[in-house]
Amino acid sequence: MNVAFTFTTNTKDRSLALDRIAEIQSIYGSDIQIFVHSDGDIPAIAETGGVKFIPGRNVKGMVHGGRWTLRYMETFLLNSTSDFLVKIDPDSKVKRQITVFPEGPDILGNCFVSYPSRLPYVQGGCIGFPRKTVEKIVTSRRLLSKEFCGPGFCLCPGKRDDHNRGDRKLYAFQDAILYSLAMKLGLKIGPWSEISVFSHRLKDQYKPGDFAVIHPLSVEAKNA
Amino acid sequence: MLDVVGTSAGTILVLDDTNNNVLVSVDGVIETRDHDFDLPDRVKKVSEVIPDLASQDLVCALMVQVGVRNRLSDDIRWSEPATFTIGVSEKIDFDFFRSQGKYIRLRFFTSQVDVAWSLSGYTIKYEIGGER
């Protein structure tokens, strides 16, 4: 499978972003396509090998709805012919090449719902998209729909262990927006045995090599 | 000042900071409503439950069950209770419970002497199945 990676970074994540690039290139080779978006002003990241750095403004605020997600999907469609997009976070750890790509689901990832917030979401630490799924989502134009721009799809700062939401704004919860849109478009979300998100809960079970991508990074240190 | 209560057996009890009733446990149960995860037509399979509990010094066991059904008029099929050790466990695996349902609910409970816990929320990891 011909894959491309994408993640979005900001000032505080920038060192993690550099780590991810080095890590992915060491595993896949320097030509692997990696699309790195900035969410706000950060110093440019060197476009070595297959890296493409896309500067951009901060669009995590509630009023932007799914624009943050739309941005990386459009970049992928415009700049890559890869069959598959792997979206990670800067604090996700890529351990080895992904070898299993189940064919049934339209989106590969892990579904969660938390209460009392009660918003179902597909956890954004690692999500896999076949190209046709990205095309379907982008062409629907619904990520910019007003339905995702209100408090119904918000993260409240302080409710989560956040490293990038210190300005106390309300943020559009991209993982929940993606889940909701997938349901509206009839896209099937299926589990992916190659990834482990919330892996800090796996300390009794995790064995090196079990997973291609682990999120968050803190687990790696715990289980090394 | 002491808070006291009486029982039907004529015993006068002092309310203190323990969680028993004259060496008998005070059972604690929280049962959620039915959840459909915004997908009322699809069956769901719960794979993990992560309780959010207030910090406490006492290490004790909280029991958790998953209940499923396909219609609200159906009886709930409950999993065997699984143990979450407060202060030690980080999640509960429910892979052993193979049942799926369109409606999911949880039950948190204890029935031991001097067990205390305070649930503030919970996270469910699940897989989406087909329509039935």
Side-chain angles (χ1 to χ4, degrees), chain A residues 88-146:
Chain A
I88 60 172
D89 282 345
D91 62 339
S92 300
K93 180 84 175 171
V94 181
K95 299 281 293 177
R96 60 165 171 78
Q97 288 201 15
I98 300 167
T99 56
V100 178
F101 299 87
E103 290 192 354
D106 302 298
I107 296 172
L108 296 173
N110 290 328
C111 296
F112 290 86
V113 61
S114 296
Y115 294 87
S117 67
R118 72 168 303 277
L119 266 182
Y121 59 95
V122 52
Q123 213 285 334
C126 186
I127 306 173
F129 302 95
R131 186 179 188 90
K132 64 182 180 188
T133 298
V134 181
E135 290 170 346
K136 189 168 185 176
I137 291 173
V138 170
T139 56
S140 78
R141 308 305 300 172
R142 291 181 65 174
L143 281 169
L144 297 181
S145 166
K146 283 197 169 66

Side-chain angles (χ1 to χ4, degrees), chain A residues 39 58-65 149 154 169-172 174:
Chain A
D39 192 54
N58 180 304
V59 293
K60 273 226 160 169
M62 177 176 73
V63 296
H64 297 292
C149 296
C154 265
K169 289 197 306 192
L170 291 175
Y171 285 87
Q174 300 301 313

Side-chain angles (χ1 to χ4, degrees), chain A:
Chain A
M1 182 73 76
N2 185 13
V3 304
F5 282 81
T6 188
F7 60 87
T8 300
T9 186
N10 59 23
T11 305
K12 291 179 180 173
D13 283 344
R14 191 170 181 278
S15 63
L16 292 175
L18 298 174
D19 291 345
R20 295 294 77 70
I21 290 169
E23 184 176 276
I24 294 168
Q25 288 186 329
S26 73
I27 292 169
Y28 280 90
S30 60
D31 291 338
I32 181 77
Q33 281 193 305
I34 307 171
F35 300 110
V36 182
H37 280 274
S38 74
D39 192 54
D41 289 336
I42 68 167
I45 287 176
E47 294 185 319
T48 58
V51 175
K52 182 171 179 59
F53 175 70
I54 306 101
R57 64 192 175 111
N58 180 304
V59 293
K60 273 226 160 169
M62 177 176 73
V63 296
H64 297 292
R67 187 176 295 278
W68 190 93
T69 296
L70 178 64
R71 184 166 62 185
Y72 73 71
M73 289 190 168
E74 284 184 331
T75 295
F76 170 68
L77 293 180
L78 289 171
N79 294 279
S80 177
T81 57
S82 296
D83 308 312
F84 198 91
L85 177 65
V86 181
K87 182 269 175 189
I88 60 172
D89 282 345
D91 62 339
S92 300
K93 180 84 175 171
V94 181
K95 299 281 293 177
R96 60 165 171 78
Q97 288 201 15
I98 300 167
T99 56
V100 178
F101 299 87
E103 290 192 354
D106 302 298
I107 296 172
L108 296 173
N110 290 328
C111 296
F112 290 86
V113 61
S114 296
Y115 294 87
S117 67
R118 72 168 303 277
L119 266 182
Y121 59 95
V122 52
Q123 213 285 334
C126 186
I127 306 173
F129 302 95
R131 186 179 188 90
K132 64 182 180 188
T133 298
V134 181
E135 290 170 346
K136 189 168 185 176
I137 291 173
V138 170
T139 56
S140 78
R141 308 305 300 172
R142 291 181 65 174
L143 281 169
L144 297 181
S145 166
K146 283 197 169 66
E147 66 189 305
F148 298 129
C149 296
F153 286 93
C154 265
L155 273 180
C156 298
K159 290 293 288 181
R160 288 161 60 107
D161 180 19
D162 265 334
H163 54 277
N164 61 349
R165 300 186 174 94
D167 54 5
R168 313 306 295 174
K169 289 197 306 192
L170 291 175
Y171 285 87
F173 189 3
Q174 300 301 313
D175 300 356
I177 290 171
L178 177 63
Y179 179 99
S180 178
L181 181 57
M183 296 305 110
K184 292 176 190 332
L185 295 177
L187 298 172
K188 183 179 176 188
I189 304 172
W192 199 5
S193 60
E194 291 284 80
I195 68 170
S196 177
V197 295
F198 282 142
S199 307
H200 51 301
R201 306 184 195 285
L202 282 175
K203 62 184 179 185
D204 298 333
Q205 307 161 22
Y206 167 65
K207 293 191 277 299
D210 278 357
F211 301 107
V213 182
I214 288 173
H215 172 85
L217 253 183
S218 52
V219 181
E220 177 63 15
K222 189 183 281 189
N223 290 287

Side-chain angles (χ1 to χ4, degrees), chain B residues 13-75:
Chain B
L13 304 174
V14 177
L15 293 180
D16 56 20
D17 60 356
T18 62
N19 297 282
N20 61 50
N21 179 9
V22 197
L23 301 180
V24 176
S25 67
V26 175
D27 295 350
V29 179
I30 293 177
E31 188 170 320
T32 72
R33 64 176 177 82
D34 289 287
H35 299 306
D36 65 15
F37 308 153
D38 296 343
L39 285 171
D41 297 329
R42 306 276 288 275
V43 296
K44 277 78 69 177
K45 161 90 178 68
V46 173
S47 53
E48 293 176 10
V49 173
I50 305 158
D52 291 330
L53 294 146
S55 178
Q56 63 182 57
D57 294 330
L58 180 66
V59 174
C60 59
L62 173 66
M63 308 307 290
V64 183
Q65 286 178 284
V66 173
V68 299
R69 54 181 165 177
N70 285 328
R71 285 182 293 273
L72 293 175
S73 57
D74 290 348
D75 290 337

